[in-house]
Amino acid sequence: MEIDRSKISPMMQQYFEVKDKYEGCILFFRLGDFYEMFFDDALTVSKALELTLTGRDCGLEERAPMCGVPYHSADVYIKRLIDLGYKVAVCEQLTDPAETKGIVVRDVIRVVTPGTLTDSSMLDDGTNNYMCSIFYDEEKKLCAVASADISTGDAYLASFGGKDLEAGVINELSRCRPAEIIFPESFLSLKTVADFIKTRLGCSVTLRDSECFAPDLKRDMLAEVFGVSSVEELGISESGADCSAACGLFDYINDTQKSSVSRFTSIELLSSDAFMGLDLNARRNLELTETLRSKEKKGSLLWVLDSTKTSMGRRMLRCWIEQPLKSPARIIERLGAVDAFCKKSVILGDVSDLLDRVYDLERLMTKVMYKTANPRDLKALSATALQLPLIKAELAKLSESKLITRCNSEISTLDEIVRLVENAIMDEPPVSVKDGGVIKDGFSEELDNLRHVMKNGKEIIEEIERSEREKTGIKSLKIGFNRVFGYYIEVTRSYYDLIPEGYIRKQTLANCERFITEELKTAENNILGAKDKALSLEADIFAEVRDFLSTKLESVQKTAAAVAQIDVLASFAEVSIRNLYVKPEISIDGSIEIHAGRHPVVELMLKDEMFVPNDVYIDTKSSRMSIITGPNMSGKSTYMRQTALIVLMAQIGCFVPADSAKISVVDKIFTRVGASDDLTAGQSTFMVEMSEVSDILKNATPNSLVILDEVGRGTSTFDGVSIARAVAEHICTSKKLGCKTLFATHYHELIGLENELEGVKNYSIAVNKHGGTIRFLRKIVRGGVDESYGIDVAKLAGLPNKVVSRARELLEEMEKAHASEMTAPVKDDGGQISFGAVSRESALDMLERTNIDELTDAECRELLRDMHAMIGG
């Protein structure tokens, strides 16, 4: 919209001066009790939020388009705009309009973006709201990802290099699922990561100047954020990609929050050695935190394991599920803590009850640090702190667990916070300080005096009136009040001769006159000014209390982290008791042995039938690969997923759904499950499948667990069989990969691999066939099957009987034709039947299906004799 700024009003000129600095944002411009938007912003917001579009005189011939929202409910509208992809700059009045001559001073106090939300009302209390900064060093081929949640004070830094650089970055972004990503121009050369962000994450992105990431310019700022003299104290290099990513992140936070960032106390350096590798496909296919189809929590592993009582615990539980441990010692430590809770269920119940009274310490402290905490927030902090000594007393009874003991030692009772808040703040304070009634009586003598004047103003005036009657002898003297003169002394005409010299005449009426005295004026000032003074003093006292609490950030943050751990461990124990889970044995021999394992989610979702448990045994030697055959709907996918979930549950430190389990730690879990066209990326089902398989073959290690479901089904049968077999051979061969693998397939040709490749074992789903019907027993049994039962499954799915019957007829015809082709003699060039050609074809087929490298010398000689006999030698 073209505007002649030389003609607009002074207030509107001020608006444009601010707007010019924040062109990419919707400007919330404070005018009295409203935040107003003008011109293009007004047109945009009125349409987006369905607000009434009005106008305001601005010095131009046409009124300026305008819409607005009440300041006290602005957060609701800001959140809606953020969800729609906008950024909002909040411009506040910085001076009191009543005391300002001319235009009120205004400026932006914060910029709200998807990654900088801090108010609990705008956030999911069980999910972190991460913002990420990505920096790529094109010369050194190194990349770093810094992530932070302003609302909780969590901060992480991960570095990547080598051939797996982009895969590492994508996995880190998959883990934290940021609401916003910032990066310099150099990042755009990482095409694969950029495409992933665009097509799979769909979050807000911001391109920033390279200077924002420059260590030379921002390094001191970064050190100041964490209160250290050098970034090297944090384990960050002085000028590497890691330093650049962190500098860029906290520079952006400074810019948007308009203040030095004092919310963060530490930054955790993430290492691939500490946590299990899980790519986006594994997270999605295993449905760790949300279901694949509906994106809901119910039906996910998180839903099963979440019996946490606190918001902090819910966020930490999600974090643990997203980051399973690789250290056997740490896993065993967690399992020991869960075991201690399970064995002392009464203590578990008491701890859970106490945790239920704990508020969100992390997000409350964020409000304190950014000076947005209200009186009830401070009372919530204190109420939580009052529970801490009780929690510590219960945890002390579980001294057999080193982890619980360590957490207990890290929980502070926050006595100073309790004493100050309980002495200073009313038991049930109002939401806002401006309403008064926040500070307790007895905390401030000055405030008590002001309140005394406010409450006893009438008695003070009555006392002056009585005193003046006695001094003057005027029996009809009375004190009144109006808005023009305030308090006054009224004397009737008959007593004029008794009026003393100290009386100052203010008004003459027909039958009386009105006067004031110095004493009365002083009382008036005290009474009328007491409320304003009391409100101002309460606000000052509240600010002092809040500022004192901000000095306890580190202690509160450490306590919050320890309480969150206890909450998650107690949740694991509660779920384990309720669902009859067992403590897994953590092994180092490379095997995974599960007896009567169950799918943690499916068993809870089933209503009309019992879940059928199954055994699992895979290792790195003779049972590296389990090839599982069986019809659709029989339970192959469930079996494979439950195995992966049981391993993952063990490595997050939770008991598992089985009668017994021995788990060797895996470094990564990969899944290739299901088929769906990735239309947004322009890829077909088969292309997506092959890309996922390719990623697995490139990134899996001998210590990985791989889940493969129907590899090769997206193309022709012969191509599919060839690809499936080649993939199986590559994974199973110890010289190439040799990792633990569950491989479900419809290609019965792969059954023969058990006799050809070391480490392959055949399994199938037991089927009960009676007459013309089949029933899936859901039981995994040894050995493969060469029948797909496809038509039977179609019948179960409800296909009309005529269609099913016709399908059986066609199947019989095709099977007979195939058999004829296999046995038909081949004609030679002269048109004569050549049975030798048939034999030679059979011999060649045998040779192609044989892996010579896997045979001993004796087996090779035997094979050669068989082939020689087949061709009539």
Side-chain angles (χ1 to χ4, degrees):
M1 185 179 292
E2 292 295 328
I3 299 164
D4 186 353
R5 299 193 183 184
S6 64
K7 297 180 179 179
I8 59 177
S9 64
M11 188 277 289
M12 203 57 75
Q13 287 180 3
Q14 182 189 48
Y15 168 82
F16 276 110
E17 287 174 4
V18 178
K19 177 65 179 175
D20 287 344
K21 299 176 185 177
Y22 301 92
E23 289 183 351
C25 302
I26 300 293
L27 183 62
F28 270 42
F29 194 74
R30 181 71 179 269
L31 286 176
D33 289 338
F34 281 79
Y35 286 110
E36 304 288 3
M37 285 132 277
F38 299 103
F39 296 103
D40 290 340
D41 280 1
L43 297 173
T44 299
V45 174
S46 63
K47 184 177 181 180
L49 302 185
E50 298 181 349
L51 300 178
T52 301
L53 185 66
T54 60
R56 182 184 180 94
D57 291 333
C58 63
L60 301 175
E61 291 183 7
E62 294 184 9
R63 288 159 59 87
M66 180 182 80
C67 68
V69 299
Y71 83 94
H72 56 78
S73 58
D75 284 346
V76 176
Y77 297 97
I78 291 174
K79 180 61 167 64
R80 288 174 61 189
L81 287 171
I82 295 299
D83 289 342
L84 291 171
Y86 297 101
K87 297 179 181 180
V88 178
V90 180
C91 183
E92 195 56 77
Q93 296 176 166
L94 302 182
T95 55
D96 187 345
E99 299 176 1
T100 303
K101 293 181 180 179
I103 299 176
V104 174
V105 177
R106 294 181 177 87
D107 202 356
V108 170
I109 60 168
R110 63 187 171 119
V111 177
V112 186
T113 71
T116 58
L117 297 174
T118 57
D119 196 289
S120 299
S121 63
M122 299 186 186
L123 297 166
D124 178 357
D125 64 358
T127 306
N128 283 99
N129 188 59
Y130 287 115
M131 176 171 58
C132 285
S133 164
I134 307 176
F135 183 85
Y136 177 55
D137 187 328
E138 294 180 279
E139 291 183 9
K140 298 179 180 178
K141 305 299 181 186
L142 296 173
C143 187
V145 179
S147 54
D149 182 349
I150 300 179
S151 70
T152 63
D154 294 325
Y156 301 94
L157 182 59
S159 299
F160 307 94
K163 63 182 180 68
D164 298 331
L165 183 152
E166 292 198 72
V169 173
I170 288 173
N171 288 344
E172 174 61 11
L173 295 177
S174 300
R175 178 193 69 82
C176 58
R177 303 291 294 188
E180 184 174 5
I181 298 175
I182 62 172
F183 47 75
E185 192 172 354
S186 63
F187 160 78
L188 298 175
S189 59
L190 297 177
K191 301 293 185 182
T192 305
V193 180
D195 288 344
F196 171 80
I197 293 171
K198 181 180 179 181
T199 60
R200 305 299 286 271
L201 290 184
C203 61
S204 173
V205 296
T206 302
L207 179 65
R208 300 270 286 172
D209 291 338
S210 298
E211 290 183 353
C212 300
F213 298 81
D216 291 345
L217 300 176
K218 306 294 181 179
R219 189 166 46 231
D220 291 342
M221 174 274 300
L222 182 62
E224 184 181 346
V225 166
F226 294 100
V228 295
S229 58
S230 168
V231 293
E232 291 180 325
E233 293 180 41
L234 301 169
I236 300 174
S237 68
E238 285 210 333
S239 57
D242 56 343
C243 187
S244 294
C247 286
L249 177 65
F250 288 99
D251 176 70
Y252 185 69
I253 294 173
N254 273 353
D255 280 357
T256 55
Q257 300 306 297
K258 301 300 171 185
S259 63
S260 177
V261 186
S262 55
R263 175 63 186 90
F264 298 88
T265 59
S266 64
I267 184 167
E268 183 178 344
L269 305 183
L270 297 178
S271 168
S272 59
D273 296 333
F275 303 110
M276 177 196 292
L278 289 167
D279 62 12
L280 181 62
N281 290 322
R283 297 176 198 277
R284 292 173 67 246
N285 291 329
L286 296 178
E287 298 182 307
L288 298 184
T289 58
E290 63 182 18
T291 57
L292 198 55
R293 292 184 179 177
S294 61
K295 307 299 180 185
E296 295 177 347
K297 178 182 175 182
K298 184 176 181 181
S300 68
L301 181 64
L302 177 63
W303 169 69
V304 173
L305 299 183
D306 189 3
S307 282
T308 55
K309 307 300 181 184
T310 71
S311 299
M312 302 170 293
R314 278 188 285 278
R315 291 193 294 271
M316 183 167 283
L317 171 60
R318 179 183 289 267
C319 181
W320 282 15
I321 291 174
E322 296 270 15
Q323 291 182 301
L325 299 173
K326 284 167 59 176
S327 165
R330 292 184 65 191
I331 296 170
I332 291 169
E333 194 175 51
R334 284 186 187 176
L335 290 170
V338 175
D339 194 36
F341 272 127
C342 288
K343 289 178 176 176
K344 296 183 178 179
S345 57
V346 174
I347 296 175
L348 171 62
D350 291 342
V351 169
S352 295
D353 289 343
L354 291 169
L355 289 171
D356 211 15
R357 304 170 203 166
V358 170
Y359 290 89
D360 194 339
L361 287 173
E362 292 174 332
R363 286 184 172 162
L364 285 173
M365 281 306 292
T366 294
K367 288 186 173 184
V368 169
M369 300 308 296
Y370 285 110
K371 303 184 186 302
T372 59
N374 62 42
R376 291 183 184 176
D377 292 330
L378 267 56
K379 288 297 288 188
L381 264 174
S382 178
T384 295
L386 286 169
Q387 306 305 316
L388 298 178
L390 304 176
I391 292 173
K392 286 177 69 66
E394 292 298 322
L395 297 180
K397 301 173 185 176
L398 300 171
S399 57
E400 63 269 30
S401 166
K402 292 182 179 179
L403 179 55
I404 292 176
T405 300
R406 187 165 67 247
C407 287
N408 197 16
S409 68
E410 293 171 357
I411 297 175
S412 167
T413 53
L414 305 178
D415 294 331
E416 291 179 280
I417 290 177
V418 171
R419 280 197 298 271
L420 179 58
V421 174
E422 292 305 308
N423 287 332
I425 309 297
M426 291 283 193
D427 292 336
E428 295 183 5
V431 175
S432 176
V433 182
K434 71 171 189 174
D435 298 328
V438 172
I439 305 301
K440 278 185 175 180
D441 291 336
F443 187 76
S444 166
E445 184 177 351
E446 182 182 358
L447 181 60
D448 290 346
N449 291 335
L450 290 170
R451 284 176 172 170
H452 175 76
V453 172
M454 290 166 59
K455 292 178 181 177
N456 299 292
K458 183 178 179 181
E459 286 82 357
I460 292 171
I461 296 300
E462 288 175 351
E463 176 60 27
I464 293 175
E465 184 181 75
R466 185 187 61 76
S467 176
E468 289 299 319
R469 282 177 182 171
E470 290 180 359
K471 285 193 294 184
T472 61
I474 302 173
K475 294 181 181 180
S476 62
L477 181 149
K478 65 180 181 179
I479 295 178
F481 176 84
N482 66 32
R483 293 186 178 181
V484 177
F485 299 116
Y487 287 102
Y488 57 83
I489 297 172
E490 186 174 281
V491 179
T492 56
R493 186 179 294 275
S494 58
Y495 290 99
Y496 282 179
D497 57 328
L498 297 178
I499 296 172
E501 292 183 4
Y503 276 35
I504 302 169
R505 183 179 285 106
K506 295 295 292 183
Q507 188 179 23
T508 300
L509 302 177
N511 297 317
C512 64
E513 291 201 19
R514 291 174 176 175
F515 304 87
I516 62 170
T517 65
E518 287 298 326
E519 181 185 13
L520 184 60
K521 199 65 183 174
T522 300
E524 176 186 304
N525 290 337
N526 288 338
I527 293 169
L528 298 183
K531 182 175 182 180
D532 291 338
K533 290 177 181 176
L535 288 175
S536 177
L537 183 57
E538 277 200 82
D540 291 342
I541 294 171
F542 177 79
E544 288 180 17
V545 173
R546 185 186 60 206
D547 290 346
F548 174 80
L549 265 55
S550 69
T551 65
K552 302 299 176 183
L553 172 63
E554 192 166 345
S555 180
V556 174
Q557 196 76 2
K558 192 174 181 181
T559 296
V563 169
Q565 283 194 70
I566 293 298
D567 193 14
V568 177
L569 294 168
S571 177
F572 284 169
E574 191 172 320
V575 171
S576 297
I577 293 171
R578 184 169 63 238
N579 296 335
L580 303 177
Y581 293 170
V582 297
K583 181 181 179 182
E585 176 190 345
I586 303 302
S587 176
I588 58 173
D589 65 2
S591 67
I592 295 174
E593 186 173 1
I594 302 168
H595 293 287
R598 314 184 304 275
H599 193 295
V601 179
V602 175
E603 73 167 341
L604 297 185
M605 300 290 278
L606 289 176
K607 295 180 180 179
D608 301 326
E609 56 182 308
M610 294 290 290
F611 187 88
V612 178
N614 275 297
D615 297 344
V616 179
Y617 181 81
I618 45 177
D619 58 27
T620 56
K621 297 175 183 176
S622 61
S623 298
R624 290 193 293 273
M625 176 178 286
S626 296
I627 292 183
I628 306 162
T629 49
N632 286 326
M633 298 171 54
S634 60
K636 300 192 301 296
S637 295
T638 298
Y639 172 73
M640 294 192 298
R641 283 188 174 101
Q642 83 183 36
T643 302
L645 287 174
I646 287 172
V647 171
L648 186 143
M649 288 172 67
Q651 288 189 221
I652 66 174
C654 184
F655 286 13
V656 300
D659 285 354
S660 66
K662 184 176 79 168
I663 307 295
S664 294
V665 173
V666 301
D667 62 356
K668 300 174 185 177
I669 291 179
F670 293 96
T671 64
R672 158 83 282 279
V673 180
S676 60
D677 285 7
D678 193 350
L679 299 177
T680 58
Q683 294 184 322
S684 67
T685 298
F686 184 64
M687 178 61 80
V688 171
E689 178 185 329
M690 290 299 99
S691 296
E692 293 177 1
V693 172
S694 175
D695 288 340
I696 293 172
L697 299 185
K698 288 177 183 175
N699 298 303
T701 75
N703 291 321
S704 300
L705 173 63
V706 175
I707 305 297
L708 296 173
D709 191 5
E710 307 297 351
V711 170
R713 67 177 173 182
T715 185
S716 68
T717 302
F718 291 120
D719 285 351
V721 171
S722 302
I723 292 170
R725 178 173 177 126
V727 169
E729 289 177 354
H730 182 91
I731 291 176
C732 193
T733 304
S734 57
K735 292 180 181 178
K736 295 177 181 177
L737 190 51
C739 62
K740 293 182 281 288
T741 306
L742 298 178
F743 195 131
T745 183
H746 275 107
Y747 295 136
H748 305 117
E749 293 85 347
L750 299 187
I751 294 174
L753 285 175
E754 179 174 358
N755 300 321
E756 301 173 26
L757 288 178
E758 182 189 357
V760 176
K761 294 288 187 291
N762 286 325
Y763 293 89
S764 59
I765 307 292
V767 176
N768 185 358
K769 192 168 184 177
H770 182 71
T773 62
I774 62 168
R775 184 166 66 91
F776 303 133
L777 302 181
R778 314 285 184 194
K779 200 72 178 174
I780 297 291
V781 294
R782 190 75 171 82
V785 294
D786 56 6
E787 191 174 352
S788 66
Y789 300 101
I791 294 176
D792 298 289
V793 172
K795 184 178 181 181
L796 286 176
L799 255 65
N801 289 332
K802 290 183 178 179
V803 175
V804 173
S805 298
R806 177 58 178 157
R808 291 194 192 280
E809 292 174 6
L810 292 171
L811 178 62
E812 288 180 14
E813 291 175 8
M814 285 187 278
E815 285 177 340
K816 289 177 181 177
H818 182 66
S820 298
E821 290 175 7
M822 293 296 293
T823 59
V826 181
K827 291 186 178 182
D828 64 12
D829 294 340
Q832 299 297 312
I833 300 297
S834 172
F835 289 97
V838 175
S839 299
R840 282 193 294 273
E841 288 293 329
S842 300
L844 286 171
D845 183 62
M846 177 184 289
L847 183 61
E848 287 175 351
R849 289 189 292 107
T850 302
N851 189 341
I852 300 297
D853 293 335
E854 299 288 328
L855 302 180
T856 64
D857 291 344
E859 289 171 336
C860 283
R861 285 193 295 272
E862 184 176 350
L863 174 67
L864 189 59
R865 279 194 296 270
D866 291 343
M867 291 176 62
H868 193 258
M870 291 176 70
I871 62 176

